[in-house]
Every structure is written in structure tokens, then in C-alpha cells.
């Protein structure tokens, strides 16, 4: 389950320092990056999918995410998963078992769980390639492929679609080294929303008889 949340975080967040060889892709991604860096907080609803033809797996789940600086909250209600982080601590709640595990963010072993920037999956260790431009239902999207320069992310390729009018990432398909295809499609987004810091901290009082496992 942690891997699913990590894939979600990979789509929505990352840090800086990408390598690029495609001039057109670089121009597009630079514009997206500049726009997203102006966003102080945001919320979004999305659809997360996992497909593995060999294992006959085709799953789709809806989710939401809230981000404020380095704080975030991911909710996947169909899976009974909620993840909270105040920028230093991370709480992973599983409805099945009514259990929450607590750990330091640094112990999670991935910088992808630190959402210091938004919609910037291409910004660390990825080589970019412009594929094409297409129009679907009256909206035009740029299609860009990203190839990792290292094995840090356990992916072989990420296909990204960017809304040309909004210059924001609309969807991504991650080709995982485990044979799975992980897809994320943004349904609705609100930027610079007002969130109280308490929304990014797990409140045990709201969960009857929750089992707390503290790894800190």
C-alpha cells in the first residue's frame, strides 16, 4: 500500500535538478515548472489505476490530495488509505485493521514524499523527449516521455500529458520495473486553497479504538 501512495506522490511532487536533451520538451517543462512553483497550496481529485496484463489486473480507484508547502494529505477512500504529513512526521492509516503507523519523514527512504514542488515529476534525474501534440474532446495536450537516468524510482518510463492551455500536467502513466502500469488522471484541481495546519496531522480522536504503532 505504501508503494501506491509513493506513486501518487511521484506524480504530484518532487524537487529540482533534471537533465534534458529535447529542446521542445525542455521549453514546455520549464514553463510548467515556473507556473507550479508559484502555487503555495492546492487540492486535487484524481483517478489512480494499476494495470498488469500478464496477471490480468485492471484496477481503478479515486483519490484526493491536499498540499500546503511541504505538508500534505492523501486519501484513497476505495482502498481505505489515508496518509498525513506535517513536513516532519508521516502517519499511514489503514481502515482495514483500524491501524495507523507513525514514522519520521526522513525514515521513509524517498525524497518523493517531500512535496516541496507541485506536478514536477520530471525535475530529478529524468531525460525528456517530446512525442507529439494531440487534441481530445476539444482540449490540446502535449505528450512527453521521461526516462530515468538512475534506478532510484523503479520505473523505466513515464508518459506525461500536459494541458496546453493551462500548462499543467493532466495525466501520467508510469511503466514500473515490476511490470505494472500505474496511471494518474487529474479530474479537478484548486490552487492556492486555504488549509489549516491541523489538516495535515492525524487526529486519533476521530478514529474509535485505532491501534497506534509509533516507529519514531
Amino acid at each position: 500500500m505504501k508503494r501506491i501512495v509513493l506513486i501518487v506522490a511521484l506524480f504530484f511532487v518532487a524537487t529540482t535538478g533534471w537533465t534534458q536533451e529535447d529542446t521542445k520538451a525542455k521549453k514546455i517543462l520549464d514553463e510548467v515548472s515556473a507556473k507550479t512553483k508559484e502555487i503555495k497550496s492546492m487540492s486535487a481529485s484524481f483517478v489512480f489505476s494499476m494495470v498488469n496484463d500478464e496477471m490480468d489486473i485492471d484496477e481503478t480507484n479515486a483519490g484526493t490530495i491536499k498540499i500546503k508547502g511541504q505538508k500534505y494529505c492523501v486519501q484513497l477512500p476505495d482502498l481505505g488509505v489515508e496518509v498525513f504529513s506535517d513536513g516532519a512526521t508521516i502517519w499511514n492509516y489503514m481502515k482495514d485493521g483500524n491501524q495507523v503507523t507513525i514514522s519520521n519523514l526522513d525514515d521513509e527512504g524517498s525524497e518523493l514524499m517531500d512535496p516541496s514542488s507541485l506536478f514536477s515529476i520530471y525535475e530529478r534525474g529524468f531525460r525528456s523527449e517530446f512525442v507529439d501534440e494531440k487534441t481530445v474532446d476539444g482540449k490540446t495536450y502535449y505528450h512527453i516521455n521521461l526516462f530515468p537516468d538512475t534506478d532510484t524510482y523503479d520505473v523505466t518510463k513515464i508518459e506525461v500529458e500536459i494541458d496546453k492551455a493551462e500548462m499543467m500536467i493532466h495525466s501520467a502513466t508510469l511503466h514500473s520495473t515490476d511490470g505494472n502500469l500505474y496511471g494518474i488522471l487529474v479530474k479537478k484541481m484548486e490552487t492556492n486553497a486555504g488549509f489549516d495546519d491541523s489538516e495535515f496531522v492525524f487526529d486519533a480522536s476521530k478514529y474509535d479504538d485505532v491501534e497506534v504503532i509509533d516507529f519514531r
Side-chain angles (χ1 to χ4, degrees):
M1 199 59 63
K2 183 183 294 185
R3 182 177 181 85
I4 292 176
V5 176
L6 203 63
I7 294 295
V8 172
L10 174 61
F11 174 70
F12 282 97
V13 303
T15 49
T16 58
W18 77 72
T19 57
Q20 299 174 332
E21 296 181 359
D22 189 309
T23 302
K24 187 165 186 176
K26 180 182 187 303
K27 182 179 179 181
I28 294 169
L29 295 174
D30 280 346
E31 187 172 341
V32 174
S33 181
K35 183 172 182 178
T36 56
K37 282 180 171 61
E38 295 177 354
I39 299 173
K40 303 303 180 184
S41 64
M42 59 84 67
S43 63
S45 58
F46 60 89
V47 174
F48 175 83
S49 62
M50 184 177 73
V51 176
N52 188 312
D53 292 334
E54 184 176 342
M55 300 180 67
D56 196 27
I57 297 174
D58 188 350
E59 300 177 354
T60 301
N61 296 280
T64 61
I65 186 170
K66 297 178 183 178
I67 298 176
K68 178 182 178 182
Q70 295 187 3
K71 303 176 178 67
Y72 65 91
C73 173
V74 177
Q75 295 182 313
L76 296 165
D78 294 342
L79 298 175
V81 175
E82 298 178 41
V83 181
F84 303 81
S85 177
D86 61 0
T89 303
I90 183 168
W91 294 262
N92 287 279
Y93 173 73
M94 300 289 297
K95 185 176 181 180
D96 184 15
N98 194 28
Q99 180 185 90
V100 61
T101 58
I102 309 173
S103 57
N104 293 318
L105 191 63
D106 292 342
D107 296 335
E108 289 297 298
S110 175
E111 63 188 337
L112 298 178
M113 301 305 286
D114 173 18
S116 55
S117 298
L118 311 179
F119 293 87
S120 304
I121 57 178
Y122 50 84
E123 290 195 344
R124 180 172 293 278
F126 285 94
R127 174 174 53 86
S128 60
E129 172 190 75
F130 181 83
V131 179
D132 58 21
E133 179 179 324
K134 62 182 180 181
T135 300
V136 179
D137 296 330
K139 289 192 173 184
T140 303
Y141 301 97
Y142 295 122
H143 180 189
I144 293 175
N145 284 341
L146 306 170
F147 302 94
D149 290 332
T150 68
D151 58 1
T152 303
Y153 305 120
D154 294 329
V155 298
T156 59
K157 180 175 70 172
I158 304 176
E159 299 179 66
V160 179
E161 286 191 348
I162 295 172
D163 188 314
K164 183 178 181 179
E166 299 293 333
M167 290 308 289
M168 295 289 286
I169 294 180
H170 170 67
S171 68
T173 301
L174 293 81
H175 297 249
S176 174
T177 55
D178 62 10
N180 293 330
L181 292 181
Y182 297 98
I184 295 181
L185 173 67
V186 178
K187 304 297 289 184
K188 184 179 180 181
M189 187 195 317
E190 180 182 356
T191 60
N192 295 321
F195 299 123
D196 190 88
D197 287 346
S198 62
E199 296 185 56
F200 306 98
V201 176
F202 181 81
D203 185 353
S205 67
K206 296 180 180 179
Y207 302 78
D208 293 338
D209 300 320
V210 63
E211 179 185 3
V212 178
I213 302 175
D214 197 334
F215 291 117
R216 293 174 296 178

PDB file of all heavy atoms in Angstrom, residues 150-164:
ATOM      1  N   THR A 150      18.686   7.204 -13.455  1.00  0.00           N
ATOM      2  CA  THR A 150      19.137   6.305 -12.395  1.00  0.00           C
ATOM      3  C   THR A 150      18.025   5.297 -12.107  1.00  0.00           C
ATOM      4  O   THR A 150      16.929   5.390 -12.666  1.00  0.00           O
ATOM      5  CB  THR A 150      19.458   7.078 -11.100  1.00  0.00           C
ATOM      6  OG1 THR A 150      18.237   7.601 -10.547  1.00  0.00           O
ATOM      7  CG2 THR A 150      20.421   8.233 -11.382  1.00  0.00           C
ATOM      8  N   ASP A 151      18.294   4.333 -11.237  1.00  0.00           N
ATOM      9  CA  ASP A 151      17.290   3.329 -10.869  1.00  0.00           C
ATOM     10  C   ASP A 151      16.576   3.702  -9.575  1.00  0.00           C
ATOM     11  O   ASP A 151      15.956   2.864  -8.932  1.00  0.00           O
ATOM     12  CB  ASP A 151      17.920   1.946 -10.737  1.00  0.00           C
ATOM     13  CG  ASP A 151      19.035   1.902  -9.707  1.00  0.00           C
ATOM     14  OD1 ASP A 151      19.318   2.939  -9.074  1.00  0.00           O
ATOM     15  OD2 ASP A 151      19.639   0.823  -9.539  1.00  0.00           O
ATOM     16  N   THR A 152      16.621   4.976  -9.202  1.00  0.00           N
ATOM     17  CA  THR A 152      16.058   5.426  -7.934  1.00  0.00           C
ATOM     18  C   THR A 152      14.564   5.161  -7.833  1.00  0.00           C
ATOM     19  O   THR A 152      14.039   4.823  -6.774  1.00  0.00           O
ATOM     20  CB  THR A 152      16.317   6.928  -7.729  1.00  0.00           C
ATOM     21  OG1 THR A 152      17.722   7.169  -7.786  1.00  0.00           O
ATOM     22  CG2 THR A 152      15.777   7.407  -6.388  1.00  0.00           C
ATOM     23  N   TYR A 153      13.829   5.309  -8.934  1.00  0.00           N
ATOM     24  CA  TYR A 153      12.374   5.315  -8.882  1.00  0.00           C
ATOM     25  C   TYR A 153      11.710   4.014  -9.298  1.00  0.00           C
ATOM     26  O   TYR A 153      10.493   3.916  -9.308  1.00  0.00           O
ATOM     27  CB  TYR A 153      11.836   6.457  -9.742  1.00  0.00           C
ATOM     28  CG  TYR A 153      12.408   7.799  -9.370  1.00  0.00           C
ATOM     29  CD1 TYR A 153      13.133   8.545 -10.299  1.00  0.00           C
ATOM     30  CD2 TYR A 153      12.230   8.318  -8.097  1.00  0.00           C
ATOM     31  CE1 TYR A 153      13.663   9.780  -9.959  1.00  0.00           C
ATOM     32  CE2 TYR A 153      12.753   9.543  -7.748  1.00  0.00           C
ATOM     33  CZ  TYR A 153      13.471  10.271  -8.685  1.00  0.00           C
ATOM     34  OH  TYR A 153      14.002  11.486  -8.340  1.00  0.00           O
ATOM     35  N   ASP A 154      12.451   3.004  -9.701  1.00  0.00           N
ATOM     36  CA  ASP A 154      11.860   1.728 -10.111  1.00  0.00           C
ATOM     37  C   ASP A 154      10.886   1.886 -11.271  1.00  0.00           C
ATOM     38  O   ASP A 154       9.858   1.204 -11.340  1.00  0.00           O
ATOM     39  CB  ASP A 154      11.144   1.047  -8.935  1.00  0.00           C
ATOM     40  CG  ASP A 154      12.105   0.632  -7.833  1.00  0.00           C
ATOM     41  OD1 ASP A 154      13.266   0.317  -8.155  1.00  0.00           O
ATOM     42  OD2 ASP A 154      11.703   0.632  -6.661  1.00  0.00           O
ATOM     43  N   VAL A 155      11.169   2.804 -12.173  1.00  0.00           N
ATOM     44  CA  VAL A 155      10.359   2.967 -13.375  1.00  0.00           C
ATOM     45  C   VAL A 155      11.277   2.976 -14.590  1.00  0.00           C
ATOM     46  O   VAL A 155      12.434   3.384 -14.508  1.00  0.00           O
ATOM     47  CB  VAL A 155       9.518   4.264 -13.355  1.00  0.00           C
ATOM     48  CG1 VAL A 155       8.527   4.246 -12.211  1.00  0.00           C
ATOM     49  CG2 VAL A 155      10.398   5.500 -13.282  1.00  0.00           C
ATOM     50  N   THR A 156      10.758   2.491 -15.732  1.00  0.00           N
ATOM     51  CA  THR A 156      11.531   2.500 -16.976  1.00  0.00           C
ATOM     52  C   THR A 156      11.158   3.677 -17.854  1.00  0.00           C
ATOM     53  O   THR A 156      11.970   4.144 -18.663  1.00  0.00           O
ATOM     54  CB  THR A 156      11.313   1.202 -17.757  1.00  0.00           C
ATOM     55  OG1 THR A 156       9.914   1.056 -18.056  1.00  0.00           O
ATOM     56  CG2 THR A 156      11.775   0.000 -16.936  1.00  0.00           C
ATOM     57  N   LYS A 157       9.931   4.169 -17.685  1.00  0.00           N
ATOM     58  CA  LYS A 157       9.465   5.303 -18.488  1.00  0.00           C
ATOM     59  C   LYS A 157       8.241   5.913 -17.828  1.00  0.00           C
ATOM     60  O   LYS A 157       7.458   5.212 -17.197  1.00  0.00           O
ATOM     61  CB  LYS A 157       9.116   4.861 -19.923  1.00  0.00           C
ATOM     62  CG  LYS A 157       8.627   5.973 -20.817  1.00  0.00           C
ATOM     63  CD  LYS A 157       8.411   5.500 -22.252  1.00  0.00           C
ATOM     64  CE  LYS A 157       7.226   4.563 -22.390  1.00  0.00           C
ATOM     65  NZ  LYS A 157       6.905   4.271 -23.818  1.00  0.00           N
ATOM     66  N   ILE A 158       8.083   7.227 -17.993  1.00  0.00           N
ATOM     67  CA  ILE A 158       6.862   7.909 -17.559  1.00  0.00           C
ATOM     68  C   ILE A 158       6.323   8.693 -18.745  1.00  0.00           C
ATOM     69  O   ILE A 158       7.037   9.507 -19.335  1.00  0.00           O
ATOM     70  CB  ILE A 158       7.116   8.873 -16.393  1.00  0.00           C
ATOM     71  CG1 ILE A 158       7.760   8.137 -15.206  1.00  0.00           C
ATOM     72  CG2 ILE A 158       5.808   9.539 -15.955  1.00  0.00           C
ATOM     73  CD1 ILE A 158       8.117   9.054 -14.057  1.00  0.00           C
ATOM     74  N   GLU A 159       5.079   8.415 -19.106  1.00  0.00           N
ATOM     75  CA  GLU A 159       4.415   9.168 -20.169  1.00  0.00           C
ATOM     76  C   GLU A 159       3.576  10.275 -19.535  1.00  0.00           C
ATOM     77  O   GLU A 159       2.720   9.995 -18.694  1.00  0.00           O
ATOM     78  CB  GLU A 159       3.523   8.248 -20.994  1.00  0.00           C
ATOM     79  CG  GLU A 159       4.267   7.122 -21.688  1.00  0.00           C
ATOM     80  CD  GLU A 159       3.324   6.230 -22.480  1.00  0.00           C
ATOM     81  OE1 GLU A 159       2.740   6.727 -23.461  1.00  0.00           O
ATOM     82  OE2 GLU A 159       3.164   5.057 -22.093  1.00  0.00           O
ATOM     83  N   VAL A 160       3.818  11.503 -19.932  1.00  0.00           N
ATOM     84  CA  VAL A 160       3.150  12.651 -19.328  1.00  0.00           C
ATOM     85  C   VAL A 160       2.321  13.383 -20.377  1.00  0.00           C
ATOM     86  O   VAL A 160       2.772  13.586 -21.506  1.00  0.00           O
ATOM     87  CB  VAL A 160       4.178  13.631 -18.719  1.00  0.00           C
ATOM     88  CG1 VAL A 160       3.476  14.841 -18.121  1.00  0.00           C
ATOM     89  CG2 VAL A 160       5.022  12.935 -17.674  1.00  0.00           C
ATOM     90  N   GLU A 161       1.108  13.771 -19.992  1.00  0.00           N
ATOM     91  CA  GLU A 161       0.285  14.640 -20.833  1.00  0.00           C
ATOM     92  C   GLU A 161       0.110  15.971 -20.127  1.00  0.00           C
ATOM     93  O   GLU A 161      -0.267  16.012 -18.950  1.00  0.00           O
ATOM     94  CB  GLU A 161      -1.078  14.010 -21.116  1.00  0.00           C
ATOM     95  CG  GLU A 161      -1.026  12.867 -22.105  1.00  0.00           C
ATOM     96  CD  GLU A 161      -2.404  12.436 -22.582  1.00  0.00           C
ATOM     97  OE1 GLU A 161      -3.407  12.880 -21.967  1.00  0.00           O
ATOM     98  OE2 GLU A 161      -2.492  11.672 -23.548  1.00  0.00           O
ATOM     99  N   ILE A 162       0.380  17.055 -20.841  1.00  0.00           N
ATOM    100  CA  ILE A 162       0.292  18.407 -20.288  1.00  0.00           C
ATOM    101  C   ILE A 162      -0.778  19.183 -21.030  1.00  0.00           C
ATOM    102  O   ILE A 162      -0.791  19.226 -22.272  1.00  0.00           O
ATOM    103  CB  ILE A 162       1.648  19.130 -20.413  1.00  0.00           C
ATOM    104  CG1 ILE A 162       2.701  18.413 -19.552  1.00  0.00           C
ATOM    105  CG2 ILE A 162       1.535  20.589 -20.015  1.00  0.00           C
ATOM    106  CD1 ILE A 162       4.100  18.927 -19.760  1.00  0.00           C
ATOM    107  N   ASP A 163      -1.703  19.759 -20.280  1.00  0.00           N
ATOM    108  CA  ASP A 163      -2.757  20.596 -20.857  1.00  0.00           C
ATOM    109  C   ASP A 163      -2.111  21.843 -21.460  1.00  0.00           C
ATOM    110  O   ASP A 163      -1.521  22.659 -20.750  1.00  0.00           O
ATOM    111  CB  ASP A 163      -3.754  20.987 -19.764  1.00  0.00           C
ATOM    112  CG  ASP A 163      -4.972  21.701 -20.307  1.00  0.00           C
ATOM    113  OD1 ASP A 163      -4.813  22.614 -21.144  1.00  0.00           O
ATOM    114  OD2 ASP A 163      -6.090  21.387 -19.877  1.00  0.00           O
ATOM    115  N   LYS A 164      -2.207  22.014 -22.763  1.00  0.00           N
ATOM    116  CA  LYS A 164      -1.538  23.117 -23.453  1.00  0.00           C
ATOM    117  C   LYS A 164      -2.065  24.470 -23.014  1.00  0.00           C
ATOM    118  O   LYS A 164      -1.305  25.437 -22.864  1.00  0.00           O
ATOM    119  CB  LYS A 164      -1.697  22.963 -24.971  1.00  0.00           C
ATOM    120  CG  LYS A 164      -0.973  24.036 -25.782  1.00  0.00           C
ATOM    121  CD  LYS A 164      -1.125  23.783 -27.272  1.00  0.00           C
ATOM    122  CE  LYS A 164      -0.388  24.841 -28.094  1.00  0.00           C
ATOM    123  NZ  LYS A 164      -0.525  24.585 -29.564  1.00  0.00           N
TER     124      LYS A 164
END
